Amino acid sequence: MDDPDFRVLFEASPEPTLALRPDSPRFTIAAVSDDYARATMTRRDRILGRGLFDVFPDNPDDPRADGVRNLRASLDRVLATGAPDVMAVQKHDVQRPPEQGGGFEPRWWSPVNSPAFGADGRIAYLLHRVEDVTDVVRLTQRGAEQPRVATRSEEYWHGLFEQVSEGIVIVDPDHGCIEANEAACALLGRRRDQLVGSGFDALLAPGHHQREAFEACRSAADRAVHRHPWTLLRGDGGVVAVDASVRRLSDDRCLVLLHDATERRQRERLAQQAADELERRVVERTEQLRRLAAELEAAEIGERRQLARDLHDDLGQTLAAARIRLDALCRDAQPEVRAAAAEIAAIVSEANRATRSLAAQLAPAVLYELGLAAALEWLAEEVEAQFGLVVTITDDGAPKPLSTEARSIVYRAVRELLINVAKHAAVRSAAVRLERHGAELRVRVDDAGVGFLPMPAGSARRGLGLASVRERLAFIGGRFEIRSVPGDGTEALLHVPLLGMAPACAPMAHDQGSTA
């Protein structure tokens, strides 16, 4: 079976509808139904691809024209909220074609603007549906503000009143319903004789301050249209969701337009359910990723400690044995042998020192035995010996319980930052401060060097070091900030949740007695 041609179906829709692109403020016309073209005296081939308000501008001869402003505001609300927007009845004159004499013809419309979402969850189009209520508005105004002067006009008015698809109820100053059309009767599941003469308040479902809202509309000093999402009581005992537009007329009666919002609210509920489910899945997947990251970090720490032990126990002992053998050669009677042995002994001693230093940097025993602060003191000595950078370590002395993974990540982050300072800051000193702030540890690394222009998160321009710091802190629920000004130094700040206060989705092995 062939797929349906949705453009043909849209153009043949029995409701006057435009499909607009969400390119505010232009709102390009993407599709036009036949009924819309007929209602607005336009042709599809003349308006497709043009901006909505280029085709339908305000009447320049009407100084009070506000149709463009109101419609643009409604479309922008739909873009901002992702929800349909039911507009009050709008006066928006349309241009007559040249063959019909040109100029503008007064028109009143009842518009509803709705979003159409694409596969990516974003708004792909805006659907602008209208109903021409010009005759109803004119006759309603005449009926509300002028005496009824002729039986023929009365019959004509009632004919149009009944043909409108929106429910219309006219309420007197005492809240009594004095008129209702067939659409209102069908929407409320009541006969006309059950509606006319009854109190409009009795139609409002309890709760949500609906009665207070209606009273505020009825007693408002202005003649503005007030819109409300109401729930009304049906005659069969059920309820119906409506979008109500209420306007106080000049004789203190109220004109109430009712649009059935059942489908819209159902779509909103389904959309909210989908959003909640998506959020649940995101949280679940984030929990899985953090758990995996914690396991990987723990495995890496284990590998580093094993490698450090191998370097210390195997290679270190081999070099030490070689040094002992060389000591014997250094006492040889022949000067040439002693000189060569001494030179080799110096090389072996340097290799042994470098091996021990590498093993300590891979997994410093002091980090796991004495804590983070002591490990950073040792790191400061290593950085000064290797790079000539004097590092001051200060600690506020408050308890800072950290997991094994957190201590390792913070230590390696500070090491990465200090090496960056030594290599790039063109400065001889730096400072590291450890402070407890509530449920988190803050580690601040400062220098007064040349600084740089920080790149956005994720940028590769400054290498993988800072990106790695940011990512590893995220594994344990931490954050990384860096502030730098060229010529005015750099400040890096690590935020690390303390043990027992980290996100529950990242279980981590730890030493109960460990502190910073």
Side-chain angles (χ1 to χ4, degrees), residues 351-396:
N352 191 29
R353 188 203 64 77
T355 298
R356 291 178 180 276
S357 175
L358 178 59
Q361 290 185 47
L362 280 171
V366 66
L367 177 64
Y368 305 104
E369 295 172 3
L370 300 180
L372 179 61
L376 293 180
E377 291 282 0
W378 176 85
L379 176 63
E381 295 175 3
E382 286 291 303
V383 169
E384 182 175 4
Q386 185 175 356
F387 298 102
L389 179 70
V390 177
V391 181
T392 303
I393 306 292
T394 56
D395 185 357
D396 64 2

Side-chain angles (χ1 to χ4, degrees), residues 247-314:
R247 181 180 182 185
R248 188 164 69 91
L249 303 176
S250 59
D251 59 358
D252 288 337
R253 292 186 296 176
C254 283
L255 177 66
V256 183
L257 298 181
L258 304 174
H259 176 76
D260 189 347
T262 303
E263 291 185 4
R264 177 180 65 80
R265 293 196 190 176
Q266 178 64 17
R267 288 194 300 269
E268 290 177 352
R269 281 194 294 271
L270 292 175
Q272 185 59 50
Q273 291 173 4
D276 292 342
E277 175 63 16
L278 179 60
E279 178 66 19
R280 184 191 67 78
R281 292 186 181 184
V282 168
V283 170
E284 184 178 275
R285 182 58 56 86
T286 301
E287 177 181 347
Q288 293 172 352
L289 291 174
R290 284 186 173 173
R291 185 181 296 114
L292 177 60
E295 293 172 356
L296 290 174
E297 183 67 24
E300 183 177 342
I301 291 172
E303 290 293 328
R304 282 173 170 269
R305 297 182 75 172
Q306 183 60 49
L307 182 56
R309 281 193 293 269
D310 291 344
L311 285 172
H312 180 273
D313 297 342
D314 297 338

Side-chain angles (χ1 to χ4, degrees), residues 28-41:
T28 303
I29 298 172
V32 187
S33 72
D34 295 336
D35 272 9
Y36 192 95
R38 281 192 292 270
T40 56
M41 297 184 290

Side-chain angles (χ1 to χ4, degrees), residues 80 102 160 164 171 187 319 344 428 508:
L160 292 174
V164 177
V171 183
L187 185 62
L319 291 172
I344 296 173
R428 298 297 303 274
M508 294 177 278

Side-chain angles (χ1 to χ4, degrees), residues 319-332:
L319 291 172
R323 182 69 177 82
I324 293 172
R325 297 289 184 88
L326 285 169
D327 284 345
L329 290 177
C330 288
R331 295 191 294 272
D332 193 280

